[in-house]
Amino acid sequence: MSLFDDDFYSSRVSRRKSRWLQEDARQSKVLRSKSNWSTMRVAVLSSTISAAAAALIFGTLFYHGGGSSDKAVPTASAVTATQTADPYEKTITAAAKVRPMVVSVINEQYGVSGFDGSLDSDSGAMEDQLQQAGIGSGVIFEKEDGKALVVTNYHVIAGAERVQVAMIDGTSRVATIVGSDQITDLAVLQIDDDGIGEVAEFGDSSKLRNGEWVMAIGSPLGLDDSLTMGIISKTTRVIPVSLNQDGNYDWEQEVIQIDASINQGNSGGPLIDLDGHVVGINSMKIADLGVEGVGFAIPIDNAKPVIDSLIKYGVVKRPYLGVYTLDLDQYLAQQALTKPKDSLDSPQTGVDGSIVVPDSSNGGDAETSDAVIDDSGIIIPDDVKDGVIVLEAVGPAQEAGLQFNDLIVKLDKTPIGSTMELRKYLYDHKKIGDSIEITYYRDGEKQTAKLKLSEKSKDDD
């Protein structure tokens, strides 16, 4: 038995076929010779006809798009091009699209001193001469009315007396600082747009995926127009940052972690995807012995509103409380290092050196009799483990009555354990003009104050 029951698909000669051959024998020899085909020839002919019919039907449907007559058939050359395109060409195309818009940003200052703190006398540098203090990168993203705008990092232009922008063709021009923001580490510069053609296009960093290929363009170590490539190691990473570079973390930066090489001078340059869109601003790396391939970029979605604010106002407008603070845990750590080992067994002393004896006349109030009094006059209740100490109160805080050595423990109903938490609560949950309630301890007694948040001016920095 064949694989098919239907005689049409079988290679055997059926009874009907046998009868047809017997009847055909009565016909003339001429006709018989024309129709006396072998089984193989019949099979070949059937296969050819079937294939032609299938090709005709498929071609008709494909050409008309299943009934739609306005769709053209893709040519063979187009299909071949799609199938044989080199995927690595995308990196070359994307880089070529953005590289002309990437610039070197040169920070110039007066009397730049050497590593030992002395002036560089060998080069004849004088205190009244501008010298290169640092170099970073930037990218041109907007052009209008004869001016072009460049985004870079705040730390690239910090302290600059003059900023120079070096173009890819080797020419340079003086830049004006439109605005800068230390918190987000972003700055916007303005230059003349002479000779500048296209500008970089911002992408969508929210669509990035772990493992996606990206490229960093900039001037690492002063080597302009350098390109490095890697993948997205983590689309969202929160990194603690010391804004004043004093080793104390007072802000958290949301960044993209990448393994593309980031070196000194890459800061401020663009991180691009394989479509040539800017998806981040390269900002920092972990520079530690044995650490490689851990770099960070500011997501462009986070940078856009900051850039817009810098263009419009020159600053990022944020609510201002008006306190300079020290974290309680940092203060206690400092006290532990400076106090003698036997201080726990010695009586507590006040600011004037007199012995402080807990007052029992108040009925054993826990906030005073159980408080720790140190030699700076701060009284810290035993049940208070976190907070920030006011070093100076100005503006709204001063008007609300806050003083030196007040210990802030809450903003509204939210516990505050560090300067970072205080700043993030203000910037993430409050606006200029909002009211806020502050809970704090003064001389071991809990108090509250209410105030209205104002706008921080440049004079308040």
Side-chain angles (χ1 to χ4, degrees):
M1 181 176 181
S2 70
L3 293 175
F4 303 97
D5 291 333
D6 194 326
D7 286 337
F8 180 80
Y9 292 101
S10 176
S11 60
R12 297 179 302 169
V13 180
S14 66
R15 293 180 180 177
R16 287 177 293 176
K17 181 70 174 178
S18 179
R19 286 195 299 271
W20 178 78
L21 291 174
Q22 292 176 0
E23 292 174 357
D24 186 58
R26 301 188 184 97
Q27 298 178 7
S28 65
K29 293 182 179 180
V30 177
L31 291 178
R32 186 170 60 249
S33 63
K34 290 182 179 181
S35 57
N36 188 20
W37 291 359
S38 67
T39 304
M40 181 61 70
R41 294 175 67 184
V42 173
V44 170
L45 180 61
S46 299
S47 300
T48 302
I49 295 173
S50 299
L56 179 62
I57 295 172
F58 178 81
T60 304
L61 292 175
F62 190 76
Y63 180 83
H64 292 288
S68 176
S69 60
D70 58 346
K71 294 184 179 180
V73 180
T75 63
S77 60
V79 174
T80 303
T82 301
Q83 293 174 345
T84 62
D86 184 357
Y88 293 104
E89 280 293 322
K90 292 200 70 176
T91 65
I92 300 172
T93 303
K97 179 180 178 181
V98 182
R99 287 169 73 178
M101 300 91 169
V102 180
V103 299
S104 297
V105 180
I106 303 168
N107 182 326
E108 296 182 340
Q109 300 179 19
Y110 287 110
V112 180
S113 40
F115 292 107
D116 58 355
S118 61
L119 291 176
D120 186 2
S121 56
D122 293 339
S123 63
M126 304 296 291
E127 289 190 27
D128 59 347
Q129 292 180 337
L130 284 171
Q131 305 165 58
Q132 180 176 313
I135 187 169
S137 305
V139 60
I140 302 169
F141 68 94
E142 187 174 307
K143 187 178 71 167
E144 188 176 5
D145 299 330
K147 301 295 180 181
L149 296 180
V150 177
V151 60
T152 185
N153 284 147
Y154 168 88
H155 74 262
V156 169
I157 54 91
E161 297 291 343
R162 185 175 68 182
V163 178
Q164 293 265 13
V165 168
M167 313 298 292
I168 192 173
D169 60 3
T171 62
S172 63
R173 57 197 75 183
V174 176
T176 302
I177 299 176
V178 175
S180 60
D181 183 59
Q182 184 181 14
I183 297 291
T184 56
D185 195 25
L186 290 170
V188 175
L189 312 176
Q190 180 179 278
I191 58 176
D192 188 273
D193 73 349
D194 184 34
I196 297 175
E198 300 296 323
V199 298
E201 182 181 350
F202 288 162
D204 186 350
S205 57
S206 68
K207 294 182 179 179
L208 293 175
R209 298 168 295 170
N210 293 335
E212 183 174 341
W213 286 101
V214 289
M215 292 177 286
I217 310 178
S219 305
L221 309 178
L223 303 172
D224 64 308
D225 192 27
S226 293
L227 175 68
T228 59
M229 186 172 181
I231 62 169
I232 301 288
S233 302
K234 186 75 172 177
T235 56
T236 303
R237 181 79 71 187
V238 178
I239 300 295
V241 177
S242 176
L243 297 176
N244 298 321
Q245 302 297 312
D246 57 1
N248 299 315
Y249 298 129
D250 39 25
W251 185 245
E252 289 181 334
Q253 184 81 286
E254 182 179 312
V255 292
I256 304 166
Q257 181 183 335
I258 58 177
D259 75 344
S261 296
I262 300 293
N263 292 288
Q264 185 177 358
N266 272 118
S267 294
L271 182 74
I272 67 172
D273 60 18
L274 295 189
D275 292 321
H277 297 151
V278 178
V279 293
I281 304 298
N282 301 317
S283 181
M284 57 183 135
K285 67 172 291 186
I286 295 180
D288 202 354
L289 185 64
V291 177
E292 294 291 342
V294 183
F296 303 100
I298 303 167
I300 200 63
D301 287 2
N302 294 3
K304 285 177 185 177
V306 175
I307 292 171
D308 291 341
S309 181
L310 293 178
I311 295 173
K312 188 173 183 180
Y313 304 110
V315 296
V316 177
K317 293 189 174 184
R318 296 188 178 96
Y320 182 56
L321 181 60
V323 290
Y324 296 89
T325 61
L326 175 68
D327 293 356
L328 178 59
D329 58 355
Q330 182 185 354
Y331 169 79
L332 293 176
Q334 292 175 353
Q335 292 298 307
L337 291 175
T338 57
K339 285 185 178 180
K341 294 181 179 179
D342 58 350
S343 63
L344 295 177
D345 299 327
S346 61
Q348 300 290 343
T349 57
V351 178
D352 58 357
S354 60
I355 297 177
V356 178
V357 180
D359 183 8
S360 59
S361 62
N362 58 11
D365 183 82
E367 289 188 354
T368 55
S369 62
D370 293 336
V372 175
I373 306 175
D374 58 53
D375 55 7
S376 66
I378 300 176
I379 301 176
I380 306 171
D382 280 350
D383 60 343
V384 176
K385 306 299 181 184
D386 299 296
V388 292
I389 300 170
V390 177
L391 301 180
E392 183 181 1
V394 297
Q398 185 181 38
E399 294 173 4
L402 268 70
Q403 301 176 7
F404 172 70
N405 274 353
D406 285 346
L407 177 60
I408 298 175
V409 293
K410 284 184 180 180
L411 294 181
D412 293 331
K413 303 299 181 182
T414 301
I416 299 297
S418 67
T419 301
M420 183 191 299
E421 292 178 3
L422 183 147
R423 183 178 280 117
K424 287 189 72 67
Y425 180 81
L426 286 177
Y427 297 168
D428 293 346
H429 302 283
K430 292 293 182 178
K431 300 189 297 292
I432 297 170
D434 285 354
S435 295
I436 191 171
E437 181 181 79
I438 304 172
T439 302
Y440 63 97
Y441 284 92
R442 178 181 295 168
D443 298 330
E445 296 184 2
K446 183 185 289 186
Q447 301 186 32
T448 60
K450 290 186 177 181
L451 57 85
K452 182 174 290 188
L453 298 169
S454 65
E455 178 183 340
K456 185 176 183 178
S457 65
K458 291 185 177 180
D459 296 334
D460 296 323
D461 290 333

